[in-house]
Amino acid sequence: MAPHKYITLQPTGDKIPLVGFGTARIPAAETEEVIYNAIKTGNRLIDGALLYGNEPEVGKAVRKAIADGIVKREELFIVGKLWNNYHEKQHVKPIFQKTLDNYGLDYIDLYLVHFPMATEYVDPNENLGFLNPKKEFKIVKAPLQDTWRELEDLVDAGKVRNIGISNFNVQSTLDLLSYARIPPSVLEIELHPYLQQKRLVKWAQSQGIQVIAYASFGNAVFTKFPPGTEHLENLMKHPVIVSIAEKHKRDVGQVLLAWAVQQNVIVIPKTVKVERMKSNLDIDHVKLDDEDLQKIAKLEANARFNDFFESTYGFDFPLFA
């Protein structure tokens, strides 16, 4: 069942589906089949990134779906992300071209700055990550203003429709807005009932920046947990979420997605199972009431699972402090 709801992006007026599909942590060997099935099931928003190591396979699936007549290119909304090692202005356009070549498309719909930090250049044919080949975490002096100018050039050239940011807070976004000729259309952040980020979401939306949530299922999608979060119950099994799901005769995943979508937040759940793809899309009829929302509000734990601690990423960096 295809999503019926879209949000309009500024400044282009492009429409982005409220429910899409994420490509993180899908093994490259499985990606083409998974993404093809996702599109066949009705997904029109595909959220990808160079870091995920499966862009070429995402591209094959997209092109196959178009060639098979399942979808037209203009009906799809394809996302890519600029990795940390390529913020220096001389690297932005070449690495974007790599993403475009990987996808095998003429343009992409949205290109995001993956994290608000610039790290030392690494050959893109190496294994990408947060550390350089010497296993060091090294920040470089690459002002985001210079990076952003390069992204604006890509928009001017017609290679990118919209540009945006990911994992930014209000301070870093506010600084960007002070010089951006083309403002960010989207902010993608970790968002789930254990990390609700209500003030950030409200402020971003007030600035005309739409929000995409990643990790909508919270700690259920992670294998390593930052200090202080290990005790939290698997969000997909939490009694509050389970009881709300039973009340609405829906599954817990649908409740978690509907919770975000009711805030006009875009969701990009990932699954390899076609039945789950269908149920994740089929959330139009899940209407959480005030009682449900109040119960979920109480689950706030300020628990960020995608944080940079030695125990989770092999280095310590307080990006979100």
Side-chain angles (χ1 to χ4, degrees), residues 2 19 21-22 26 37 63 74 125 150-151 161-163 165 179 190 217 222 230 245-246 250 252 270 301 314:
V19 182
F21 195 85
I26 306 177
N37 286 337
R63 297 194 306 275
E74 59 270 21
N125 297 313
E150 299 299 305
L151 299 188
R161 297 274 311 159
N162 303 271
I163 47 179
I165 48 182
Y179 54 75
E190 181 180 343
F217 304 143
F222 292 94
E230 307 94 335
E246 288 171 350
R250 296 284 174 169
V252 289
K270 180 215 80 175

Side-chain angles (χ1 to χ4, degrees), residues 11-147:
T12 58
D14 288 354
K15 294 193 180 322
I16 182 171
L18 264 166
V19 182
F21 195 85
T23 62
R25 296 180 297 280
I26 306 177
E30 300 170 27
T31 298
E32 183 179 350
E33 182 183 7
V34 170
I35 300 305
Y36 183 82
N37 286 337
I39 295 171
K40 199 173 179 181
T41 305
N43 282 284
R44 296 296 176 259
L45 161 61
I46 307 295
D47 179 88
L50 185 68
L51 177 71
Y52 304 159
N54 55 12
E55 280 184 339
E57 292 76 17
V58 171
K60 283 178 191 172
V62 167
R63 297 194 306 275
K64 186 173 189 292
I66 293 169
D68 290 353
I70 293 170
V71 69
K72 295 176 182 173
R73 170 63 185 97
E74 59 270 21
E75 294 169 338
L76 290 170
F77 196 98
I78 308 296
V79 182
K81 301 186 187 78
L82 174 72
W83 187 237
N84 309 332
N85 304 121
Y86 311 106
H87 281 214
E88 292 166 289
K89 60 185 178 182
Q90 69 271 27
H91 300 313
V92 175
K93 286 170 186 163
I95 206 66
F96 169 78
Q97 191 60 47
K98 183 175 177 66
T99 285
L100 201 60
D101 293 344
N102 282 344
Y103 284 151
L105 300 172
D106 295 328
Y107 70 95
I108 65 170
D109 299 274
L110 175 64
Y111 196 52
L112 303 174
V113 178
H114 206 144
F115 281 96
M117 58 186 185
T119 54
E120 186 177 54
Y121 176 84
V122 172
D123 185 323
N125 297 313
E126 304 275 341
N127 284 330
L128 294 185
F130 291 90
L131 308 178
N132 67 16
K134 296 177 183 174
K135 303 297 181 190
E136 302 164 325
F137 178 72
K138 256 186 134 173
I139 294 289
V140 295
K141 293 183 178 180
L144 185 65
Q145 185 163 352
D146 293 345
T147 310

Side-chain angles (χ1 to χ4, degrees), residues 38 95 106 143 152 168 186 243 284 303 312:
I95 206 66
D106 295 328
E152 290 173 331
F168 278 52
V186 165
S243 67
D284 274 2
T312 51

Side-chain angles (χ1 to χ4, degrees), residues 33-308:
E33 182 183 7
V34 170
I35 300 305
Y36 183 82
N37 286 337
I39 295 171
K40 199 173 179 181
T41 305
N43 282 284
R44 296 296 176 259
L45 161 61
I46 307 295
D47 179 88
L50 185 68
L51 177 71
Y52 304 159
N54 55 12
E55 280 184 339
E57 292 76 17
V58 171
K60 283 178 191 172
V62 167
R63 297 194 306 275
K64 186 173 189 292
I66 293 169
D68 290 353
I70 293 170
V71 69
K72 295 176 182 173
R73 170 63 185 97
E74 59 270 21
E75 294 169 338
L76 290 170
F77 196 98
I78 308 296
V79 182
K81 301 186 187 78
L82 174 72
W83 187 237
N84 309 332
N85 304 121
Y86 311 106
H87 281 214
E88 292 166 289
K89 60 185 178 182
Q90 69 271 27
H91 300 313
V92 175
K93 286 170 186 163
I95 206 66
F96 169 78
Q97 191 60 47
K98 183 175 177 66
T99 285
L100 201 60
D101 293 344
N102 282 344
Y103 284 151
L105 300 172
D106 295 328
Y107 70 95
I108 65 170
D109 299 274
L110 175 64
Y111 196 52
L112 303 174
V113 178
H114 206 144
F115 281 96
M117 58 186 185
T119 54
E120 186 177 54
Y121 176 84
V122 172
D123 185 323
N125 297 313
E126 304 275 341
N127 284 330
L128 294 185
F130 291 90
L131 308 178
N132 67 16
K134 296 177 183 174
K135 303 297 181 190
E136 302 164 325
F137 178 72
K138 256 186 134 173
I139 294 289
V140 295
K141 293 183 178 180
L144 185 65
Q145 185 163 352
D146 293 345
T147 310
W148 198 255
R149 296 269 178 270
E150 299 299 305
L151 299 188
E152 290 173 331
D153 283 352
L154 291 169
V155 175
D156 293 342
K159 293 184 175 184
V160 181
R161 297 274 311 159
N162 303 271
I163 47 179
I165 48 182
S166 178
N167 298 298
F168 278 52
N169 64 9
V170 171
Q171 284 176 297
S172 48
T173 308
L174 197 61
D175 180 61
L176 172 59
L177 291 174
S178 72
Y179 54 75
R181 173 172 61 86
I182 301 173
S185 299
V186 165
L187 167 64
E188 185 171 313
I189 53 173
E190 181 180 343
L191 188 75
H192 44 74
Y194 284 148
L195 183 69
Q196 301 187 19
Q197 305 214 66
K198 290 181 179 177
R199 295 174 75 198
L200 175 56
V201 170
K202 185 178 179 183
W203 181 82
Q205 291 174 335
S206 77
Q207 301 301 304
I209 302 169
Q210 300 299 346
V211 176
I212 297 178
Y214 72 79
S216 291
F217 304 143
N219 51 354
V221 303
F222 292 94
T223 54
K224 293 181 179 178
F225 304 104
T229 65
E230 307 94 335
H231 69 287
L232 290 169
E233 184 149 13
N234 183 321
L235 195 55
M236 297 284 272
K237 297 176 182 175
H238 197 289
V240 168
I241 305 298
V242 171
S243 67
I244 293 171
E246 288 171 350
K247 169 181 162 182
H248 291 276
K249 296 182 171 59
R250 296 284 174 169
D251 66 46
V252 289
Q254 290 175 310
V255 168
L256 291 169
L257 297 176
W259 171 78
V261 167
Q262 279 187 220
Q263 304 174 62
N264 273 333
V265 169
I266 299 149
V267 291
I268 47 169
K270 180 215 80 175
T271 178
V272 298
K273 298 175 181 174
V274 172
E275 285 309 307
R276 283 295 303 276
M277 292 176 188
K278 290 176 181 175
S279 64
N280 287 345
L281 281 172
D282 187 22
I283 60 170
D284 274 2
H285 308 298
V286 186
K287 302 294 181 202
L288 304 182
D289 58 33
D290 287 344
E291 183 187 16
D292 300 330
L293 296 174
Q294 284 169 16
K295 286 179 179 176
I296 293 174
K298 290 177 182 172
L299 299 183
E300 173 66 76
N302 198 29
R304 186 183 299 279
F305 300 113
N306 194 27
D307 205 347
F308 307 119

